[in-house]
Amino acid sequence: MEGPHVAHPAGRGIWQVLPACCCQAVRPDLRLQDVTVMYFTALAALMVTTLRPDLQGPLLPLPMPFHIPLDPRGQLQLAWNISYAKQEIYMELKVTEMKYGVVLGMSDRGELTNADLVVLWNNGTKSYFGDAWSDSKGHVSLDTQQDYELIEAKQKPDGYYLLFKRPFSTCDPRDYLIEEGTVHVIYGLLDRPLLALEQLNLSRIHMGLQRVLMLRPDTPRPKLPPDVRTLDVSAPNITIPNQETTYWCFIQTLPENMPKNHIVMYESVITPGNEAIVHHMEVFECSPDIRSVPQYSGSCDDKMKPGKLNSCRHVLAAWAMGAEAFYYPPDAGLPIGGPGSSRFLRLEVHYHNPLLISGHHDSSGIRLHYTSSLRQYDAGIMELGLVYTPVMAIPPKQHIFYLSGYCNSKCTQTALPPGGIYIFASQLHTHLAGRGVRTVLVRGGKELKVVQEDEHYSSFYQVSANRYDVLITKCTYNTEDRSKPTVGGFGIMDEMCVNYIHYYPRTQLELCKTHVDTEYLQKYFKATNRFHGNDQCVCGEQNVTEQFYQVQWDPFAVEMLKSLYNTAPVYMHCNQSDAHLFPGEWERQPVPVVTSVLSKPHYPCEGRECPTSPPQTPRV
């Protein structure tokens, strides 16, 4: 299908196109002169005009450096390019099998209501493209301010392609503000014609959700050393289980007597066809104290797996869906091999297979790029946030619920060098209920610096963390669609709150995380039982998850749990690389006190009328 053609290319491979308004109608016979513009008026009248015929000409390819599969079967692929100079984003949506149209949208948390949409639909004789929005009940309407501009719509041998653009900020209160952090992308295919777009209700068609880090660093990729070599740590052609959540573990052995090298870059290697199922991957180095680790390829949750796998905890690389290649700064590299290291690596792959697809074979993994030309500093990776334990839970039916994990001053005083460390990158992670993650550096009770933040859940940056500093990682969750509490754990329906910080010089501090003191949690269960008239508490006879499931989740129980997590003592996991605690007393540590917090940045709309603080949800 042909669409508006390009006038001429602009700098850095970004196309400059003529402006389009409202809805562009495209005839199915693929002729440019039949491409039309449809205006939506207050009276819902449609007026069609023909685009200028002098715009005909070949459309040069537009580079699309970023891409991600949207659905588990790989039927929809989203690719994009960014012009920071123009504050515009160019998107290319590929649909393997187009029927009667497609919906692509963005909303605050992936909701189908109050969403900013771009829609291609067919009424049986013509196809139309337009900027739309959904109201609080999922009904779709055309937007009076058309900010998505169609560049090309075309059928190719491998699928149907839509190329369009829009500004980061449109100053339209019904539009989504594209900013740094996770963008919740919703999508769906239309399987029947629509006489009018207003017939569409998103709640009545099959829709999906994908999280995308849309805005990426506008920096050139560093050059790798000429002597760089690669090592693939990958799954050995396994069959992905047809279950929703699988953590697969595989032990890989390094060459004997491998000298010390520096990892200077790593990237994912995903088996074609599995891009939407491989959720995240990690490579761990085993403890050097363990002289041998049995070969293993199987479920990480298998009770029969070798016990020595639990000694493979030192993170070498971590990747999550949508992430690009990770480069180390020129003066630091992550050590691998040599004295004091282990020959054994553990690959952990998280497969998220909600459609229970069977028969897919997978050899995905992480490719390590390393060099024997050692850099000035050894880099390290440290885990911040919450320990993976069910004692940290989110009640059901919560619009917003916060959990915080601490790296307290006692741990940083014990483990960090006198000169402190320099944090140069950060990787945030939650599961499906996660809505935001924020790690801040606190010094003397005052928030000094945001280490990393993603409000809708990176570029290189440098934050200096000293001894006695506190690092607080706060996660935001939404469980409005859940009838049972969500506990901390490894399953996709469990929750995590993690920040992997990359830093140098490397220390022995591997993990700096907390969870609430379990004795205080048991006091909470007893108090809520008594409040609801049940004096027969069987708290000691059940595991924590079962106890959370039996709580009567009224406002009292929710507020009590919030108070517990904000004030009760915590168990500080100040762990060394061998997974053992640093010497000291770490139980019943007080929650760090913060007396001053950083203010949020302001995002004005320059030269355009809009609210002083652009809303993320449309007004209805």
Side-chain angles (χ1 to χ4, degrees):
M1 182 181 297
E2 294 184 357
H5 276 60
V6 175
H8 59 82
R12 296 183 67 249
I14 302 296
W15 298 105
Q16 184 181 39
V17 299
L18 296 180
C21 347
C22 297
C23 288
Q24 298 166 2
V26 185
R27 290 181 51 136
D29 58 7
L30 311 184
R31 294 185 302 163
L32 173 65
Q33 56 267 39
D34 291 324
V35 179
T36 59
V37 177
M38 181 172 62
Y39 290 90
F40 177 65
T41 68
L43 298 176
L46 299 179
M47 184 170 61
V48 179
T49 60
T50 304
L51 292 181
R52 289 166 44 192
D54 61 327
L55 296 182
Q56 296 185 56
L59 182 63
L60 298 176
L62 173 61
M64 291 289 173
F66 311 115
H67 52 86
I68 191 169
L70 294 181
D71 67 308
R73 296 190 184 277
Q75 296 293 310
L76 293 97
Q77 304 275 337
L78 180 66
W80 68 97
N81 201 338
I82 305 162
S83 172
Y84 284 98
K86 295 184 177 183
Q87 295 285 287
E88 292 179 333
I89 188 163
Y90 293 74
M91 304 184 201
E92 182 180 70
L93 180 63
K94 174 192 172 184
V95 184
T96 302
E97 185 178 351
M98 179 72 79
K99 293 183 179 179
Y100 290 97
V102 63
V103 178
L104 185 73
M106 296 173 284
S107 63
D108 278 355
R109 312 298 178 194
E111 309 95 336
L112 302 183
T113 56
N114 298 326
D116 178 14
L117 308 170
V118 58
V119 186
L120 177 77
W121 76 98
N122 187 284
N123 66 3
T125 58
K126 290 183 180 180
S127 294
Y128 297 94
F129 175 93
D131 183 348
W133 60 283
S134 63
D135 64 16
S136 58
K137 295 183 180 180
H139 295 290
V140 177
S141 301
L142 286 172
D143 200 335
T144 53
Q145 179 176 313
Q146 292 285 303
D147 295 297
Y148 286 95
E149 182 176 320
L150 179 65
I151 301 172
E152 185 182 51
K154 191 172 185 178
Q155 180 70 50
K156 298 181 181 180
D158 60 339
Y160 194 90
Y161 287 78
L162 278 173
L163 179 62
F164 51 92
K165 71 169 186 175
R166 64 151 280 185
F168 296 170
S169 174
T170 66
C171 286
D172 181 347
R174 288 196 176 109
D175 284 352
Y176 185 92
L177 173 65
I178 300 176
E179 55 186 341
E180 290 186 4
T182 304
V183 175
H184 291 73
V185 175
I186 58 176
Y187 59 86
L189 291 170
L190 304 180
D191 58 4
R192 63 186 64 183
L194 294 174
L195 295 180
L197 184 61
E198 287 69 24
Q199 293 179 338
L200 178 60
N201 189 315
L202 298 186
S203 64
R204 297 175 184 170
I205 66 172
H206 178 72
M207 299 287 293
L209 167 67
Q210 184 60 279
R211 295 175 176 180
V212 180
L213 193 65
M214 195 74 77
L215 299 187
R216 304 296 177 92
D218 189 25
T219 55
R221 294 190 175 188
K223 292 184 178 179
L224 296 177
D227 64 344
V228 72
R229 290 181 287 175
T230 62
L231 171 67
D232 285 2
V233 184
S234 56
N237 192 32
I238 70 163
T239 301
I240 299 176
N242 59 341
Q243 58 191 33
E244 183 173 11
T245 300
T246 300
Y247 282 85
W248 194 272
C249 281
F250 172 65
I251 295 294
Q252 186 161 320
T253 306
L254 295 174
E256 195 168 0
N257 300 320
M258 179 180 178
K260 180 179 178 180
N261 288 265
H262 269 164
I263 298 171
V264 294
M265 189 266 272
Y266 64 81
E267 60 186 331
S268 65
V269 182
I270 309 296
T271 300
N274 296 339
E275 294 88 351
I277 300 177
V278 179
H279 185 268
H280 71 264
M281 300 182 289
E282 294 175 271
V283 176
F284 300 90
E285 183 182 51
C286 299
S287 171
D289 298 334
I290 306 298
R291 296 189 175 274
S292 65
V293 178
Q295 290 297 310
Y296 181 75
S297 179
S299 171
C300 302
D301 301 322
D302 193 332
K303 295 180 180 180
M304 301 303 292
K305 71 177 185 296
K308 290 183 178 180
L309 265 66
N310 295 325
S311 300
C312 306
R313 297 176 179 269
H314 175 62
V315 180
L316 288 183
W319 171 91
M321 183 182 288
E324 297 296 309
F326 185 90
Y327 291 84
Y328 281 85
D331 51 354
L334 191 72
I336 183 173
S341 67
S342 174
R343 292 183 58 212
F344 303 99
L345 306 180
R346 175 169 67 92
L347 172 71
E348 182 174 301
V349 184
H350 173 198
Y351 297 106
H352 178 46
N353 187 10
L355 299 183
L356 309 183
I357 298 170
S358 60
H360 276 222
H361 293 268
D362 189 67
S363 298
S364 299
I366 293 180
R367 178 169 294 158
L368 307 175
H369 297 251
Y370 65 97
T371 174
S372 58
S373 302
L374 302 182
R375 297 180 172 183
Q376 181 178 358
Y377 296 106
D378 286 348
I381 301 175
M382 187 190 307
E383 279 192 58
L384 306 178
L386 290 171
V387 179
Y388 307 130
T389 170
V391 303
M392 305 301 296
I394 306 115
K397 305 299 180 183
Q398 298 301 298
H399 179 64
I400 293 178
F401 195 89
Y402 300 106
L403 292 178
S404 294
Y406 306 95
C407 181
N408 69 7
S409 58
K410 182 176 180 179
C411 185
T412 59
Q413 176 192 0
T414 301
L416 297 190
I421 59 173
Y422 298 93
I423 302 169
F424 60 87
S426 173
Q427 292 171 299
L428 309 172
H429 184 66
T430 70
H431 279 171
L432 300 181
R435 295 297 184 264
V437 188
R438 186 175 194 251
T439 296
V440 293
L441 179 78
V442 177
R443 185 172 296 166
K446 297 181 179 180
E447 289 187 356
L448 190 67
K449 182 78 174 179
V450 176
V451 176
Q452 180 67 304
E453 182 172 19
D454 186 341
E455 290 189 338
H456 305 286
Y457 152 49
S458 128
S459 59
F460 285 108
Y461 52 89
Q462 187 162 293
V463 178
S464 175
N466 299 329
R467 300 170 76 182
Y468 301 98
D469 285 348
V470 176
L471 291 160
I472 302 177
T473 301
K474 184 176 183 178
C475 291
T476 308
Y477 300 96
N478 178 288
T479 57
E480 288 179 300
D481 61 343
R482 301 189 181 189
S483 58
K484 294 182 179 180
T486 302
V487 299
F490 293 96
I492 193 65
M493 296 306 293
D494 299 332
E495 265 310 328
M496 295 182 172
C497 179
V498 185
N499 187 356
Y500 292 102
I501 59 170
H502 299 252
Y503 72 96
Y504 66 87
R506 180 183 177 183
T507 72
Q508 287 301 306
L509 182 57
E510 180 80 14
L511 186 147
C512 197
K513 303 166 79 172
T514 57
H515 65 70
V516 71
D517 184 90
T518 54
E519 289 189 18
Y520 279 76
L521 181 61
Q522 291 303 320
K523 292 178 181 179
Y524 164 80
F525 290 132
K526 291 177 182 177
T528 54
N529 265 276
R530 281 197 296 269
F531 180 81
H532 293 111
N534 182 6
D535 293 327
Q536 301 296 321
C537 181
V538 291
C539 304
E541 303 171 13
Q542 297 177 321
N543 62 43
V544 170
T545 300
E546 292 172 337
Q547 292 179 69
F548 272 120
Y549 278 16
Q550 292 192 4
V551 171
Q552 184 176 327
W553 290 109
D554 57 12
F556 172 79
V558 172
E559 291 303 316
M560 281 281 290
L561 188 62
K562 287 180 182 178
S563 178
L564 175 80
Y565 286 150
N566 289 332
T567 60
V570 296
Y571 190 109
M572 183 72 241
H573 289 249
C574 188
N575 289 15
Q576 303 177 67
S577 299
D578 60 4
H580 293 107
L581 286 166
F582 277 90
E585 180 60 44
W586 302 110
E587 295 184 12
R588 298 196 176 184
Q589 296 294 299
V591 172
V593 176
V594 179
T595 58
S596 175
V597 298
L598 292 167
S599 59
K600 296 276 186 176
H602 177 61
Y603 297 99
C605 292
E606 298 181 4
R608 306 174 74 174
E609 290 191 16
C610 68
T612 55
S613 179
Q616 284 296 323
T617 51
R619 295 176 180 171
V620 296

